[in-house]
Amino acid sequence: MTDSGKANSAKSRIVALCGGVGGAKLALGLSRALGDELTVIVNTGDDFEHLGLHISPDLDTVLYTLSGLANKELGWGRADESWNFMEVLRVLGSETWFQLGDRDLALHVERTRQLKAGRPLTSFMAEVASRFEIPAQILPMTDDPVRTTVITTDGPLPFQRYFVERRCAPVVEEIIFDGAATARPTAQVMAALRDPNLRAIVICPSNPFLSIDPILAVPGLRPLIEMAGVPVVAVSPIIGGKAVKGPTDKIMAELGVPATSRAIVEHYSGLLDGLVVDVEDGDDVAQLPVQTHITATLMKADEDRDRLAQAVLDFVGRIPDTANTVKAGCR
Ligand code: FO1
């Protein structure tokens, strides 16, 4: 834990909202700086049932990334993976569009078994994180099923069918979160956002539409963030008018949203006090109604993750607590 990460405030807990690959990189930097003072609330809209197994891709990406077990080439799954299970599935003529490595498979089998026995996802993931010696708290956004469905010009597609099987090719018209309206925030998520020791909330550079919106769609979560009275800062997922990885800029274009810092602030309207913007988009920040910090946001190596995490922590330390202030929107 670095001293400078804590220098500007006696309060020390940081809550990060996170999706999969891109967000997990910043979560890793934050976890290396903060240890057990970090709580990561993770999107479960990408979860699905596959081959009878409960798969939680974003939770697992965060889990593997924070434990140093992640497959850095793929961005998902485990390092040193073997694929015997997939090879046999192929011989059997089974479904092979979604790759499950042998080591990864054990997690899905055990999670499915325990969920079927009635254990909440939050409790299962907490135990796995502890067994993987992760000091940070990794929390599913809810224990209730929320399933992202992408409405495309080819019809509605469950998220993983759109993302993995169709490689994001269909044109997106709308994104809906089935089950969100009746999902309940967990006691652990509510406690993290109400923690008197909470210093700031960081929205990781995940896809705002696919990864952060499902979290904000869980009833009660958005008001808890709005009323937390601490700085809320997002790291823009845009670099030079494009998303670094994944379909963010394609989806934004299809939804008629420009890939700009202003559009990110508008998207998170009413929530943000600050936006971290990449140096390539530095010209883009004039007249934004939030504080901005311009820095390199591309995270290729662990040093980049540490440096960006520290820049985010220093930035939130410069923003005063926000109790009783009306958050900015561009509209
Ligand atoms: N992404 C892929 O592009 N292809 C896959 O076959 C794939 C398998 C997979 C298995 C387990 C897991 O935890 C994640 C997996 N992912 C795969 C990644 C994942 O579907 C997406 O990156 C996220 O849902 C988007 O955040």
Side-chain angles (χ1 to χ4, degrees):
M1 194 160 320
T2 60
D3 286 341
S4 57
K6 299 166 72 177
N8 292 330
S9 170
K11 295 191 289 179
S12 55
R13 176 151 304 278
I14 298 284
V15 168
L17 310 186
C18 187
V21 183
K25 290 181 181 174
L26 179 61
L28 174 60
L30 290 169
S31 108
R32 284 158 57 113
L34 296 163
D36 64 2
E37 291 177 331
L38 174 69
T39 298
V40 192
I41 299 176
V42 184
N43 170 40
T44 56
D46 298 10
D47 288 21
F48 73 131
E49 284 269 325
H50 183 58
L51 304 171
L53 300 171
H54 180 109
I55 317 282
S56 295
D58 286 1
L59 276 170
D60 293 352
T61 298
V62 173
L63 181 81
Y64 292 147
T65 303
L66 267 54
S67 58
L69 296 171
N71 184 322
K72 289 186 179 167
E73 286 77 46
L74 289 175
W76 48 268
R78 287 186 64 147
D80 301 323
E81 190 56 284
S82 57
W83 302 93
N84 298 306
F85 173 68
M86 291 309 298
E87 275 173 37
V88 181
L89 277 186
R90 214 160 274 125
V91 172
L92 295 175
S94 183
E95 289 196 53
T96 53
W97 61 273
F98 195 80
Q99 304 285 307
L100 295 173
D102 300 333
R103 288 173 187 273
D104 187 33
L105 185 60
L107 178 61
H108 307 306
V109 169
E110 185 57 16
R111 175 171 40 220
T112 306
R113 188 179 75 81
Q114 295 208 22
L115 293 186
K116 279 204 173 127
R119 188 170 186 185
L121 183 59
T122 297
S123 165
F124 174 74
M125 293 307 294
E127 184 184 340
V128 179
S130 156
R131 286 180 182 272
F132 285 12
E133 297 180 359
I134 298 173
Q137 201 184 15
I138 299 174
L139 298 178
M141 64 190 199
T142 176
D143 283 335
D144 295 322
V146 175
R147 299 293 175 256
T148 298
T149 299
V150 185
I151 311 296
T152 74
T153 45
D154 293 358
L157 292 170
F159 177 77
Q160 298 296 345
R161 293 274 176 188
Y162 162 78
F163 193 87
V164 173
E165 191 180 38
R166 305 289 302 272
R167 295 170 190 270
C168 309
V171 174
V172 178
E173 292 180 330
E174 196 189 349
I175 300 163
I176 56 175
F177 309 115
D178 289 317
T182 52
R184 294 155 301 172
T186 62
Q188 292 84 347
V189 163
M190 288 194 288
L193 291 169
R194 288 179 176 147
D195 186 349
N197 201 24
L198 183 63
R199 175 150 61 105
I201 298 167
V202 175
I203 302 180
C204 290
S206 301
N207 185 312
F209 302 89
L210 291 174
S211 302
I212 304 297
D213 279 0
I215 302 177
L216 299 175
V218 176
L221 282 201
R222 195 183 170 103
L224 275 176
I225 296 168
E226 285 169 352
M227 294 180 319
V230 299
V232 180
V233 163
V235 178
S236 173
I238 305 294
I239 298 184
K242 277 191 175 300
V244 189
K245 201 171 188 302
T248 304
D249 51 325
K250 177 180 178 285
I251 292 172
M252 287 176 82
E254 288 166 1
L255 294 174
V257 181
T260 61
S261 306
R262 188 175 184 82
I264 300 294
V265 174
E266 278 185 14
H267 186 75
Y268 293 131
S269 183
L271 278 184
L272 290 189
D273 301 289
L275 184 71
V276 177
V277 175
D278 187 75
V279 279
E280 283 197 38
D281 304 292
D283 297 343
D284 193 24
V285 300
Q287 295 177 349
L288 284 183
V290 295
Q291 298 192 42
T292 54
H293 178 70
I294 300 169
T295 188
T297 59
L298 190 64
M299 292 174 281
K300 283 196 168 160
D302 279 349
E303 303 79 70
D304 304 323
R305 284 151 216 171
D306 291 344
R307 195 199 47 74
L308 182 58
Q310 199 54 56
V312 170
L313 294 174
D314 291 343
F315 181 43
V316 297
R318 294 195 297 273
I319 301 176
D321 277 358
T322 55
N324 306 320
T325 61
V326 176
K327 303 281 177 117
C330 290
R331 284 183 237 273

